[in-house]
Amino acid sequence: MDLSVEGKVYVNGVFEQACIGVENGKIVEIKKILKEDEHFDFGNKLILPAGVDVHVHFRDPGMLHKEDFYTGSVAAVSGGISCVFDMPNTIPPANSVECLDDKIKIGNRKSVVDFGLYAGVTNDNIDKIEGLNEKCNGFKVYLGSSTLSLLFDKKNLHRLLDKVSLTGKPVLFHAEDEECLIEHKMVEKNLSDHLSCRPAVCEEVSIKNVLSMSQGSNAKVHICHVSSCEGLELLKGHLGNVSFGVTPHHSLLNVEKKLGFQSFYKVNPPIRTSFDKEALFNAINNGFVDILESDHAPHTMEEKNVDFDVAPSGVPGVETMYPLFLYLVKKGFLSFQRLTSVLCTRPAELVGVSKGCIDKGFDADFIVVDLKEERRIRSDNLHSKCGWTPFEDWPAVFPSCVFIRGEKVIDDYEIQVSKGFGRFVGV
Ligand code: DOR
Ligand code: ZN
């Protein structure tokens, strides 16, 4: 064995004082006593699986002033995430084999966390899915327009699901119905106008559509960032081949709250009412939600600090997601079982990586936390290039150490590895 790590380890849903033995980046043993030459003893600090974020926008290539694979991945690991899956709305978009190849190279050169990529599917490349499949971990489809999105016409859904089902990989939907969005278009001056422009009914119509098309299909379907009670109701008790995600911003923020400068909170789908927010949080708690995904969508302060109607949509979140929810666990609002399910196990299952669980055979990706170490979220301490957070001043619990494939990537809250440590997780 190469090393052993000792602490209060989360195994099979309980904490045990134990040691994790690691060889070639994998967990090979979990025992009361193990002592390799390289041994890290964390005493009674908690050791939890690292998170997997299935939804980030690292802006690389093409928008390096907002983020790049290095800064995005340092933000991820600082917040306890060991593996991210990047969305295709970069410049150029990742909707061809060449662009995916370039992106794999970029990630391999710059990332400090392991990563995977989605191929963007538009009306024009449905027939190329087989080729794209060789270079991606899943597919992303936008059924409604959003910032930099690659629009897809719902009349092609059947053909898309047929093709995707042959790959065995997931297809992720931005489910807001384009026709419905067009119908509700109006001048937007604030968040409440934004909500009127993108009402829950647009999400409802779109999810209904995807669900009815998915029936009888073997495609692995994931609905991203469900944001409304209506959407949630449709998905309760969904079929086995369908999963859905919720974001921290939709489950913790609501439009009635004094949110500060409004364009900073402009995001698609929009932040909705306290009623929606509470329903989403309860659904995470009650086991209805499969996955918590950050939808980390950084835009700079300069880009956001403009009139509401011209501001881009999107909020950062990859670094604050796990710490915010760890704090909620500390306060008794959520169980460790639910936390690790939505942040680790289920996302890893969706994208088919051997991560998200402290058990033999899985990658040795884990975080060390001390629940007493509560910190306020401060933009100045975060690592995204965008330089701000919608959760400024919120209490959180950050991991002091993070291991990826048995390597200490964060030690005492500081990054220990250089660019390129992260690996493409393969296809
Ligand atoms: O608010 C959003 N921002 N929604 C999206 O679908 C895209 C994202 C971005 O890339 O900025
Ligand atoms: Zn997104």
Side-chain angles (χ1 to χ4, degrees):
M1 258 181 278
D2 303 325
L3 70 143
S4 44
V5 180
E6 184 169 358
K8 246 176 141 176
V9 187
Y10 192 72
V11 201
N12 292 328
V14 288
F15 287 101
E16 280 175 33
Q17 199 66 36
C19 299
I20 307 169
V22 178
E23 195 171 291
N24 293 327
K26 297 267 182 201
I27 299 171
V28 289
E29 198 70 82
I30 301 170
K31 267 186 159 172
K32 273 263 162 288
I33 299 167
L34 275 176
K35 225 175 194 117
E36 292 305 304
D37 288 345
E38 193 174 15
H39 181 79
F40 299 103
D41 186 355
F42 291 103
N44 59 5
K45 285 192 183 158
L46 307 184
I47 303 186
L48 289 157
V52 173
D53 192 346
V54 299
H55 194 153
V56 303
H57 299 262
F58 279 177
R59 312 299 194 199
D60 203 346
M63 288 164 282
L64 304 182
H65 64 290
K66 295 180 198 274
E67 194 76 287
D68 64 49
F69 241 105
Y70 179 65
T71 53
S73 62
V74 171
V77 72
S78 304
I81 303 292
S82 66
C83 189
V84 296
F85 288 79
D86 192 60
M87 288 295 167
N89 59 340
T90 37
I91 304 176
N95 56 7
S96 69
V97 169
E98 298 71 44
C99 292
L100 284 164
D101 253 333
D102 280 346
K103 242 176 138 168
I104 294 171
K105 285 189 194 121
I106 292 168
N108 276 329
R109 207 168 61 234
K110 298 188 189 173
S111 188
V112 298
V113 298
D114 292 347
F115 68 97
L117 301 174
Y118 300 111
V121 186
T122 58
N123 303 313
D124 307 322
N125 67 355
I126 306 179
D127 293 322
K128 303 212 170 95
I129 282 179
E130 230 181 307
L132 297 170
N133 181 38
E134 309 278 303
K135 301 283 175 188
C136 73
N137 306 87
F139 303 90
K140 176 68 185 283
V141 172
Y142 288 88
L143 293 169
S145 350
S146 184
T147 299
L148 303 156
S149 65
L150 314 154
L151 205 55
F152 185 88
D153 191 333
K154 62 185 173 195
K155 73 172 190 297
N156 293 323
L157 263 175
H158 191 70
R159 197 146 66 91
L160 166 86
L161 291 173
D162 267 0
K163 296 262 178 202
V164 168
S165 61
L166 299 174
T167 69
K169 289 183 187 154
V171 53
L172 288 81
F173 288 97
H174 181 122
E176 285 184 285
D177 185 78
E178 183 64 8
E179 277 169 31
C180 182
L181 293 178
I182 292 171
E183 221 172 276
H184 290 86
K185 229 179 191 135
M186 60 168 211
V187 180
E188 306 178 42
K189 293 215 172 344
N190 53 41
L191 287 170
S192 125
D193 295 345
H194 193 54
L195 187 50
S196 308
C197 285
R198 308 183 79 105
V201 64
C202 296
E203 181 168 272
E204 191 182 1
V205 167
S206 191
I207 293 177
K208 238 187 206 154
N209 202 238
V210 175
L211 287 181
S212 83
M213 297 303 247
S214 313
Q215 268 184 349
S217 159
N218 291 323
K220 202 169 169 184
V221 167
H222 178 78
I223 313 280
C224 294
H225 43 52
V226 172
S227 61
S228 63
C229 291
E230 289 84 344
L232 207 52
E233 278 308 312
L234 285 172
L235 285 159
K236 278 186 183 169
H238 56 73
L239 295 168
N241 65 324
V242 178
S243 62
F244 73 99
V246 166
T247 70
H249 47 278
H250 292 115
S251 55
L252 298 175
L253 301 173
N254 59 286
V255 72
E256 302 93 339
K257 210 168 174 172
K258 270 208 171 2
L259 287 174
F261 199 77
Q262 300 257 300
S263 19
F264 281 82
Y265 298 87
K266 185 180 178 189
V267 62
N268 299 330
I271 289 168
R272 301 191 194 271
T273 66
S274 60
F275 195 62
D276 295 293
K277 175 193 77 176
E278 273 160 33
L280 292 169
F281 189 81
N282 290 337
I284 294 172
N285 222 343
N286 297 339
F288 287 120
V289 173
D290 299 292
I291 288 174
L292 200 52
E293 56 193 44
S294 74
D295 196 2
H296 177 76
H299 299 287
T300 65
M301 307 262 270
E302 294 71 32
E303 288 167 327
K304 280 292 214 179
N305 199 7
V306 293
D307 287 345
F308 192 88
D309 53 338
V310 290
S313 293
V315 296
V318 71
E319 186 165 357
T320 47
M321 177 166 66
Y322 205 158
L324 280 167
F325 280 80
L326 262 168
Y327 178 79
L328 294 171
V329 170
K330 167 183 165 147
K331 287 291 175 190
F333 293 113
L334 193 71
S335 67
F336 278 106
Q337 190 274 330
R338 289 301 301 141
L339 176 82
T340 51
S341 173
V342 292
L343 280 174
C344 313
T345 337
R346 296 287 286 120
E349 275 168 20
L350 177 72
V351 286
V353 287
S354 192
K355 292 178 179 289
C357 186
I358 302 184
D359 205 352
K360 282 187 211 174
F362 284 83
D363 283 2
D365 292 14
F366 30 81
I367 68 172
V368 180
V369 291
D370 181 347
L371 290 186
K372 292 192 291 297
E373 282 277 322
E374 188 179 313
R375 299 181 165 205
R376 294 266 163 186
I377 293 174
R378 296 269 145 79
S379 299
D380 285 351
N381 300 331
L382 299 176
H383 297 83
S384 166
K385 243 185 224 181
C386 73
W388 63 279
T389 165
F391 299 106
E392 186 74 31
D393 244 9
W394 283 55
V397 178
F398 285 87
S400 55
C401 281
V402 181
F403 288 81
I404 303 181
R405 287 179 272 105
E407 198 79 35
K408 219 189 229 174
V409 175
I410 294 283
D411 190 16
D412 199 14
Y413 306 97
E414 297 289 334
I415 187 89
Q416 305 295 310
V417 299
S418 42
K419 282 183 177 182
F421 170 81
R423 286 191 200 152
F424 182 52
V425 292
V427 290

